[in-house]
Amino acid sequence: MNHPLPTTPMIAQRGRPLAGRARVPGDKSISHRALILGALAVGGTRISGLLESEDVLNTAKAMQALGARVERIGGGAWRVDGVGVGGFAAPAAALDFGNSGTGCRLVMGAVAGCPIAATFDGDASLRKRPMGRVLAPLTQMGAHFTDAAGNGRLPIALTGASDPMPILYRTPVPSAQIKSAVLLAGLAAPGVTTVIETEASRDHTELMLAHFGAEVTSEPEGGHGRRISLVGQPELAPSAVAVPADPSSAAFPMVAALVAPGSDIFLPDVMTNPLRIGLITTLREMGASIVEEEVRQDGGEAMAGYRVRHSALRGVEVPPHRAPSMIDEYPVLAVAAAFAEGTTVMRGLHELRVKECDRLAATADMLRVNGVDVEISGDDLAVHGRGHAAGGGLVATHMDHRIAMSALVFGLATDRPVKVDDTTFIATSFPDFAGLMRELGGDLQ
Ligand code: S3P
């Protein structure tokens, strides 16, 4: 299940200011969840604005392999006919999640509550990522697993519980994937499943479960945490889901406009869930001109358009408790930090080490090979910005879409072009990234 695709390098260079309006594709987190909850509901769920990227399409295929009917009825428009909570059938072949930790871990949770066996697999990047973090609570709930290598890595054969047990689980790291896996398994358990997190992570699973009619509560816990409880064995009612634009994808044109002189762009319909906008908070502290317009609410999630103009940025300190609300945005924040005046220190980045690659190291290397002074100290990253950056380097993307996109954004404002070794993995989350950036005026070749 490794990607046999040839590599596709790309070069970004400074050109005109970015200008115009561009809608980035649908939110990846919401897209995965809409497919999974649609598959667990009884009846037909309609989804509009689904992100049709490799990661999400792999989740769609998995739902089909587990017995749901999943049909594309138009661009971004999908219909899922679900099998009901606990109703998945054993898949005929291994489920391949490609590059996606979210798809794999969430579906592990959903399968753990069903009395079936399924094998989970993925590409070379996903095979390196830790699965023990979800298998530990799922085992407590009654699931069993075998991992050929014995190290909690894919491929993993999971057998769901015949009598799933509700648990109270404290997540050892702030992770929406762990929380969601436990809640999805808890759907099939009698009684109340509770997850306690010391730092609140994105709450799309909770919000969408409520949207589908489940009884779920979320209360503050300690300074920055949450206690989430779900009443098991609901009948999930099919519900329409309109997927807003992904703030983690909007982050790329946003930072590009901030650092490319003269730029002025508008990004409509971006989800403004408070647990996803740590990057915007940080960029504003750095002096970024980001103005919200066209604010509205749709399908349980708030969204807004962002007008973003080139801005003089200054270095700031980013506190560790903000990490869960911007966990995917550090590579592109580091790009903004390189163009700021002064040092930006990003604290508490340990979770970056287990993303699609070791993103902490890859982010530092991306900047270093392009002449930026960077230090990693423990879990902290310091970027010493000088208002401009040399560029001229070749960035290794390590099968990581966000490193590839960050490096290309970087090259739109560096003194010399930036080359990226492989852009293939951008298709996992933002298939037309290059097209959208070019439409705004970005010089990508
Ligand atoms: C996601 C959760 C985050 C994030 C990932 C999407 C989700 O991972 O990095 O891109 O949709 O739940 P963790 O929850 O493991 O931090």
Side-chain angles (χ1 to χ4, degrees), residues 28-29 33 102 133 174-177 202 327-328 355 402:
K28 183 147 72 73
S29 295
R33 288 160 172 81
T102 306
R133 51 178 51 203
S175 161
Q177 295 179 4
R202 63 191 71 193
I327 194 65
D328 293 332
K355 293 297 176 189
R402 298 198 200 280

Side-chain angles (χ1 to χ4, degrees), residues 111 266 313 377 413:
V111 164
F266 187 74
L313 302 175
S377 140

Side-chain angles (χ1 to χ4, degrees), residues 173-356:
V173 287
S175 161
Q177 295 179 4
I178 302 177
K179 168 178 65 181
S180 301
V182 173
L183 293 175
L184 290 171
L187 276 175
V192 177
T193 292
T194 299
V195 179
I196 296 175
E197 42 184 13
T198 49
E199 305 278 349
S201 66
R202 63 191 71 193
D203 58 358
H204 309 305
T205 302
E206 300 90 299
L207 294 178
M208 207 182 289
L209 279 168
H211 185 58
F212 277 72
E215 215 180 309
V216 55
T217 56
S218 176
E219 295 155 22
E221 172 88 14
H224 303 284
R226 309 289 304 174
R227 164 189 282 257
I228 302 104
S229 292
L230 168 74
V231 178
Q233 300 181 335
E235 177 157 318
L236 295 181
S239 296
V241 180
V243 185
D246 193 328
S248 298
S249 296
F252 300 106
M254 185 176 279
V255 169
L258 290 173
V259 301
S263 298
D264 184 350
I265 65 166
F266 187 74
L267 305 168
D269 299 341
V270 181
M271 182 165 60
T272 55
N273 181 311
L275 294 167
R276 292 289 298 281
I277 55 165
L279 174 73
I280 292 173
T281 306
T282 305
L283 290 171
R284 283 179 172 150
E285 288 173 1
M286 295 171 82
S289 170
I290 304 174
V291 178
E292 266 175 44
E293 296 170 13
E294 302 177 6
V295 180
R296 64 195 178 90
Q297 189 87 22
D298 196 348
E301 294 279 3
M303 63 189 90
Y306 287 113
R307 179 164 183 202
V308 187
R309 277 173 279 190
H310 172 254
S311 307
L313 302 175
R314 55 184 174 272
V316 294
E317 179 149 339
V318 190
H321 67 76
R322 198 177 289 163
S325 69
M326 55 179 295
I327 194 65
D328 293 332
E329 280 67 79
Y330 285 100
V332 80
L333 173 63
V335 167
F339 291 103
E341 290 288 351
T343 298
T344 295
V345 185
M346 304 165 216
R347 299 205 185 276
L349 307 189
H350 48 91
E351 275 296 292
L352 290 198
R353 298 225 183 252
V354 291
K355 293 297 176 189
E356 284 80 335

